[in-house]
Short mmCIF file of all heavy atoms in Angstrom, two decimals:
data_model
loop_
_atom_site.label_atom_id
_atom_site.label_comp_id
_atom_site.label_asym_id
_atom_site.label_seq_id
_atom_site.Cartn_x
_atom_site.Cartn_y
_atom_site.Cartn_z
N GLY A 27 47.04 -2.40 8.54
CA GLY A 27 46.90 -3.37 9.49
C GLY A 27 46.07 -4.69 9.04
O GLY A 27 46.54 -5.70 9.29
N GLY A 28 45.10 -4.39 8.26
CA GLY A 28 44.26 -5.54 7.82
C GLY A 28 45.04 -6.35 6.75
O GLY A 28 45.06 -7.59 6.66
N THR A 29 45.89 -5.61 5.95
CA THR A 29 46.80 -6.27 4.97
C THR A 29 47.81 -7.09 5.62
O THR A 29 48.08 -8.23 5.27
CB THR A 29 47.45 -5.20 4.08
OG1 THR A 29 46.42 -4.39 3.44
CG2 THR A 29 48.30 -5.79 3.07
N LEU A 30 48.38 -6.60 6.64
CA LEU A 30 49.45 -7.35 7.48
C LEU A 30 48.74 -8.63 8.08
O LEU A 30 49.39 -9.67 8.05
CB LEU A 30 50.04 -6.52 8.58
CG LEU A 30 51.26 -5.65 8.24
CD1 LEU A 30 51.62 -4.82 9.37
CD2 LEU A 30 52.41 -6.53 7.83
N VAL A 31 47.62 -8.47 8.64
CA VAL A 31 46.98 -9.60 9.19
C VAL A 31 46.70 -10.70 8.13
O VAL A 31 46.91 -11.85 8.33
CB VAL A 31 45.61 -9.17 9.92
CG1 VAL A 31 44.72 -10.45 10.31
CG2 VAL A 31 45.85 -8.41 11.13
N MET A 32 46.08 -10.26 6.99
CA MET A 32 45.89 -11.17 5.99
C MET A 32 47.12 -11.92 5.39
O MET A 32 47.08 -13.06 5.15
CB MET A 32 45.08 -10.46 4.82
CG MET A 32 43.77 -10.00 5.07
SD MET A 32 42.61 -11.27 5.68
CE MET A 32 42.41 -12.12 4.06
N LEU A 33 48.15 -11.13 5.16
CA LEU A 33 49.38 -11.73 4.73
C LEU A 33 49.99 -12.58 5.76
O LEU A 33 50.50 -13.70 5.38
CB LEU A 33 50.41 -10.62 4.42
CG LEU A 33 50.28 -9.87 3.00
CD1 LEU A 33 51.25 -8.79 2.95
CD2 LEU A 33 50.38 -10.84 1.91
N GLY A 34 49.96 -12.26 7.05
CA GLY A 34 50.53 -13.07 7.98
C GLY A 34 49.75 -14.39 8.28
O GLY A 34 50.37 -15.50 8.28
N ALA A 35 48.45 -14.22 8.32
CA ALA A 35 47.64 -15.43 8.43
C ALA A 35 47.66 -16.32 7.21
O ALA A 35 47.84 -17.65 7.33
CB ALA A 35 46.23 -15.05 8.73
N GLY A 36 47.50 -15.72 6.00
CA GLY A 36 47.80 -16.55 4.82
C GLY A 36 49.11 -17.21 4.68
O GLY A 36 49.17 -18.41 4.35
N SER A 37 50.13 -16.47 4.99
CA SER A 37 51.51 -17.17 4.97
C SER A 37 51.65 -18.31 5.96
O SER A 37 52.17 -19.29 5.72
CB SER A 37 52.61 -16.17 5.34
OG SER A 37 53.81 -16.56 5.32
N PHE A 38 50.98 -18.10 7.16
CA PHE A 38 50.95 -19.15 8.16
C PHE A 38 50.27 -20.42 7.66
O PHE A 38 50.80 -21.51 7.82
CB PHE A 38 50.38 -18.62 9.44
CG PHE A 38 50.51 -19.48 10.68
CD1 PHE A 38 51.63 -19.48 11.43
CD2 PHE A 38 49.49 -20.31 11.05
CE1 PHE A 38 51.84 -20.26 12.49
CE2 PHE A 38 49.64 -21.10 12.11
CZ PHE A 38 50.84 -21.16 12.79
N LEU A 39 49.15 -20.16 7.08
CA LEU A 39 48.32 -21.35 6.60
C LEU A 39 48.98 -22.00 5.37
O LEU A 39 48.97 -23.22 5.33
CB LEU A 39 46.90 -20.82 6.25
CG LEU A 39 46.07 -20.38 7.47
CD1 LEU A 39 44.72 -19.85 7.03
CD2 LEU A 39 45.79 -21.65 8.42
N LEU A 40 49.50 -21.25 4.42
CA LEU A 40 50.12 -21.79 3.35
C LEU A 40 51.34 -22.46 3.68
O LEU A 40 51.68 -23.57 3.01
CB LEU A 40 50.50 -20.62 2.28
CG LEU A 40 49.30 -20.12 1.44
CD1 LEU A 40 49.82 -18.90 0.61
CD2 LEU A 40 48.74 -21.15 0.54
N ASN A 41 52.13 -22.07 4.65
CA ASN A 41 53.31 -22.72 5.10
C ASN A 41 52.98 -24.14 5.64
O ASN A 41 53.82 -25.05 5.48
CB ASN A 41 54.08 -21.93 6.21
CG ASN A 41 55.49 -22.47 6.39
OD1 ASN A 41 55.61 -23.50 6.92
ND2 ASN A 41 56.44 -21.66 6.17
N MET A 42 51.89 -24.29 6.18
CA MET A 42 51.46 -25.57 6.67
C MET A 42 51.31 -26.53 5.70
O MET A 42 51.44 -27.78 5.91
CB MET A 42 50.17 -25.46 7.55
CG MET A 42 50.38 -24.74 8.78
SD MET A 42 48.75 -24.72 9.71
CE MET A 42 49.36 -24.58 11.38
N VAL A 43 50.99 -26.22 4.43
CA VAL A 43 50.80 -27.12 3.31
C VAL A 43 51.90 -27.11 2.35
O VAL A 43 51.82 -27.58 1.16
CB VAL A 43 49.40 -26.84 2.58
CG1 VAL A 43 48.29 -27.16 3.45
CG2 VAL A 43 49.41 -25.39 1.95
N GLY A 44 53.03 -26.38 2.71
CA GLY A 44 54.38 -26.50 1.94
C GLY A 44 54.30 -25.45 0.84
O GLY A 44 55.07 -25.52 -0.13
N MET A 45 53.55 -24.36 0.93
CA MET A 45 53.47 -23.31 0.01
C MET A 45 53.84 -21.97 0.59
O MET A 45 54.03 -22.01 1.81
CB MET A 45 52.12 -23.19 -0.72
CG MET A 45 51.75 -24.44 -1.46
SD MET A 45 50.04 -24.39 -1.96
CE MET A 45 50.34 -23.51 -3.46
N GLU A 46 54.04 -20.93 -0.11
CA GLU A 46 54.42 -19.61 0.40
C GLU A 46 54.02 -18.55 -0.53
O GLU A 46 54.15 -18.71 -1.77
CB GLU A 46 55.92 -19.57 0.70
CG GLU A 46 56.40 -18.37 1.54
CD GLU A 46 55.64 -18.22 2.84
OE1 GLU A 46 55.95 -19.08 3.66
OE2 GLU A 46 54.89 -17.32 3.03
N PHE A 47 53.85 -17.30 -0.02
CA PHE A 47 53.63 -16.05 -0.79
C PHE A 47 55.02 -15.70 -1.24
O PHE A 47 55.95 -15.69 -0.44
CB PHE A 47 53.03 -14.94 0.06
CG PHE A 47 51.58 -15.12 0.36
CD1 PHE A 47 51.21 -14.94 1.60
CD2 PHE A 47 50.59 -15.36 -0.63
CE1 PHE A 47 49.78 -15.07 2.00
CE2 PHE A 47 49.33 -15.39 -0.32
CZ PHE A 47 48.89 -15.31 0.96
N ILE A 48 55.19 -15.29 -2.49
CA ILE A 48 56.47 -14.83 -2.93
C ILE A 48 57.00 -13.68 -2.14
O ILE A 48 58.18 -13.50 -1.83
CB ILE A 48 56.43 -14.53 -4.43
CG1 ILE A 48 56.20 -15.78 -5.26
CG2 ILE A 48 57.68 -13.81 -4.91
CD1 ILE A 48 55.93 -15.51 -6.76
N LEU A 49 56.13 -12.78 -1.76
CA LEU A 49 56.42 -11.63 -1.02
C LEU A 49 57.00 -11.97 0.34
O LEU A 49 57.96 -11.26 0.90
CB LEU A 49 55.10 -10.70 -0.75
CG LEU A 49 55.30 -9.46 -0.02
CD1 LEU A 49 56.26 -8.52 -0.85
CD2 LEU A 49 53.92 -8.79 0.18
N LEU A 50 56.53 -13.01 0.95
CA LEU A 50 57.09 -13.42 2.35
C LEU A 50 58.00 -14.64 2.22
O LEU A 50 58.18 -15.35 3.26
CB LEU A 50 55.95 -13.61 3.18
CG LEU A 50 55.04 -12.41 3.52
CD1 LEU A 50 53.87 -12.84 4.35
CD2 LEU A 50 55.92 -11.36 4.19
N SER A 51 58.61 -14.93 1.15
CA SER A 51 59.51 -16.11 1.08
C SER A 51 60.77 -15.98 1.87
O SER A 51 61.36 -16.96 2.21
CB SER A 51 59.72 -16.49 -0.45
OG SER A 51 60.51 -15.38 -1.03
N TRP A 52 61.12 -14.81 2.13
CA TRP A 52 62.37 -14.57 2.97
C TRP A 52 62.16 -15.00 4.39
O TRP A 52 63.22 -15.11 5.16
CB TRP A 52 62.80 -13.10 2.90
CG TRP A 52 61.80 -12.22 3.37
CD1 TRP A 52 60.71 -11.64 2.74
CD2 TRP A 52 61.57 -11.74 4.75
NE1 TRP A 52 59.95 -10.88 3.50
CE2 TRP A 52 60.44 -10.92 4.82
CE3 TRP A 52 62.31 -11.97 5.92
CZ2 TRP A 52 59.99 -10.28 5.96
CZ3 TRP A 52 61.84 -11.42 7.15
CH2 TRP A 52 60.71 -10.58 7.09
N VAL A 53 60.96 -15.16 4.89
CA VAL A 53 60.70 -15.34 6.30
C VAL A 53 61.34 -16.66 6.74
O VAL A 53 61.84 -16.63 7.90
CB VAL A 53 59.14 -15.42 6.54
CG1 VAL A 53 58.77 -15.87 7.88
CG2 VAL A 53 58.56 -14.09 6.23
N ASP A 54 61.49 -17.65 5.98
CA ASP A 54 61.96 -18.97 6.46
C ASP A 54 63.49 -18.94 6.29
O ASP A 54 64.08 -20.04 6.60
CB ASP A 54 61.39 -20.16 5.74
CG ASP A 54 59.95 -20.31 6.22
OD1 ASP A 54 59.67 -20.21 7.46
OD2 ASP A 54 59.07 -20.68 5.43
N MET A 55 64.19 -17.91 5.86
CA MET A 55 65.58 -17.88 5.63
C MET A 55 66.31 -18.17 7.06
O MET A 55 67.37 -18.81 6.96
CB MET A 55 66.01 -16.48 5.25
CG MET A 55 67.47 -16.28 4.92
SD MET A 55 67.94 -14.80 4.13
CE MET A 55 67.14 -13.55 5.12
N TRP A 56 65.83 -17.90 8.20
CA TRP A 56 66.42 -18.09 9.51
C TRP A 56 65.97 -19.41 10.15
O TRP A 56 66.38 -19.63 11.26
CB TRP A 56 66.24 -16.97 10.41
CG TRP A 56 66.82 -15.70 9.93
CD1 TRP A 56 68.20 -15.43 9.90
CD2 TRP A 56 66.19 -14.57 9.34
NE1 TRP A 56 68.38 -14.21 9.29
CE2 TRP A 56 67.21 -13.64 8.99
CE3 TRP A 56 64.83 -14.32 9.12
CZ2 TRP A 56 66.90 -12.49 8.38
CZ3 TRP A 56 64.56 -13.09 8.52
CH2 TRP A 56 65.60 -12.21 8.24
N GLY A 57 65.16 -20.18 9.54
CA GLY A 57 64.74 -21.42 9.95
C GLY A 57 63.16 -21.47 10.25
O GLY A 57 62.50 -20.40 10.14
N PRO A 58 62.63 -22.56 10.56
CA PRO A 58 61.17 -22.69 10.66
C PRO A 58 60.55 -21.93 11.97
O PRO A 58 59.56 -21.27 11.84
CB PRO A 58 60.90 -24.15 10.73
CG PRO A 58 62.17 -24.75 11.12
CD PRO A 58 63.18 -23.82 10.62
N LEU A 59 61.24 -22.01 13.05
CA LEU A 59 60.74 -21.36 14.23
C LEU A 59 60.75 -19.87 14.17
O LEU A 59 59.77 -19.23 14.44
CB LEU A 59 61.61 -21.91 15.52
CG LEU A 59 60.93 -21.52 16.89
CD1 LEU A 59 59.40 -22.04 16.97
CD2 LEU A 59 61.76 -22.10 17.94
N PRO A 60 61.86 -19.24 13.78
CA PRO A 60 61.86 -17.73 13.57
C PRO A 60 60.84 -17.30 12.53
O PRO A 60 60.23 -16.36 12.62
CB PRO A 60 63.20 -17.39 13.20
CG PRO A 60 64.16 -18.50 13.74
CD PRO A 60 63.23 -19.73 13.66
N GLY A 61 60.64 -18.19 11.57
CA GLY A 61 59.60 -17.86 10.56
C GLY A 61 58.19 -17.81 11.09
O GLY A 61 57.40 -16.88 10.80
N ILE A 62 57.93 -18.77 11.90
CA ILE A 62 56.68 -18.75 12.62
C ILE A 62 56.52 -17.49 13.49
O ILE A 62 55.43 -16.90 13.49
CB ILE A 62 56.45 -20.02 13.48
CG1 ILE A 62 56.26 -21.25 12.54
CG2 ILE A 62 55.21 -19.85 14.28
CD1 ILE A 62 56.32 -22.57 13.23
N GLY A 63 57.55 -17.09 14.16
CA GLY A 63 57.53 -15.93 15.03
C GLY A 63 57.32 -14.66 14.22
O GLY A 63 56.64 -13.80 14.62
N ILE A 64 57.98 -14.62 12.98
CA ILE A 64 57.79 -13.43 12.18
C ILE A 64 56.36 -13.27 11.70
O ILE A 64 55.73 -12.30 11.56
CB ILE A 64 58.81 -13.43 10.96
CG1 ILE A 64 60.19 -13.21 11.53
CG2 ILE A 64 58.47 -12.38 9.90
CD1 ILE A 64 61.34 -13.52 10.56
N ARG A 65 55.87 -14.53 11.25
CA ARG A 65 54.39 -14.48 10.78
C ARG A 65 53.46 -14.15 11.89
O ARG A 65 52.56 -13.27 11.71
CB ARG A 65 54.04 -16.02 10.31
CG ARG A 65 54.69 -16.29 9.00
CD ARG A 65 54.27 -17.73 8.62
NE ARG A 65 54.99 -18.05 7.40
CZ ARG A 65 56.17 -18.69 7.43
NH1 ARG A 65 56.82 -19.10 8.53
NH2 ARG A 65 56.77 -19.02 6.24
N LEU A 66 53.66 -14.64 13.10
CA LEU A 66 52.76 -14.22 14.24
C LEU A 66 53.00 -12.77 14.62
O LEU A 66 51.99 -12.17 14.98
CB LEU A 66 53.03 -15.20 15.42
CG LEU A 66 52.64 -16.64 15.27
CD1 LEU A 66 53.01 -17.46 16.46
CD2 LEU A 66 51.10 -16.74 14.93
N GLY A 67 54.17 -12.33 14.49
CA GLY A 67 54.53 -10.88 14.72
C GLY A 67 53.75 -9.96 13.73
O GLY A 67 53.24 -9.01 14.13
N ALA A 68 53.70 -10.36 12.56
CA ALA A 68 52.99 -9.64 11.54
C ALA A 68 51.57 -9.56 11.75
O ALA A 68 51.00 -8.50 11.56
CB ALA A 68 53.24 -10.24 10.13
N ILE A 69 50.95 -10.66 12.25
CA ILE A 69 49.59 -10.74 12.52
C ILE A 69 49.21 -9.80 13.76
O ILE A 69 48.37 -9.06 13.77
CB ILE A 69 49.16 -12.19 12.86
CG1 ILE A 69 49.21 -13.02 11.53
CG2 ILE A 69 47.76 -12.20 13.35
CD1 ILE A 69 48.99 -14.56 11.82
N ALA A 70 50.11 -9.93 14.78
CA ALA A 70 49.96 -9.11 15.99
C ALA A 70 50.08 -7.59 15.63
O ALA A 70 49.31 -6.81 16.14
CB ALA A 70 50.92 -9.47 17.06
N LEU A 71 51.11 -7.26 14.86
CA LEU A 71 51.19 -5.83 14.53
C LEU A 71 50.10 -5.37 13.71
O LEU A 71 49.67 -4.20 13.93
CB LEU A 71 52.57 -5.67 13.71
CG LEU A 71 52.87 -4.33 13.21
CD1 LEU A 71 53.10 -3.37 14.41
CD2 LEU A 71 54.08 -4.29 12.32
#
């Protein structure tokens, strides 16, 4: 759970500056809004 929170929050913050974790690069495949939803869902989970 802690790993998911760290990856989700880190991905959210990195996305704001135009970067991304390689592990979560697929998140924006469906667009920016679903990508944000997936990141927030990972944090919540």
Side-chain angles (χ1 to χ4, degrees):
T29 302
L30 272 175
V31 170
M32 293 299 290
L33 282 174
S37 176
F38 190 81
L39 294 173
L40 283 174
N41 190 298
M42 291 180 156
V43 295
M45 300 172 80
E46 188 60 69
F47 289 129
I48 292 174
L49 182 64
L50 295 175
S51 62
W52 60 270
V53 169
D54 287 322
M55 184 170 49
W56 296 288
L59 192 57
I62 291 171
I64 292 170
R65 287 179 183 92
L66 293 177
I69 294 169
L71 179 63

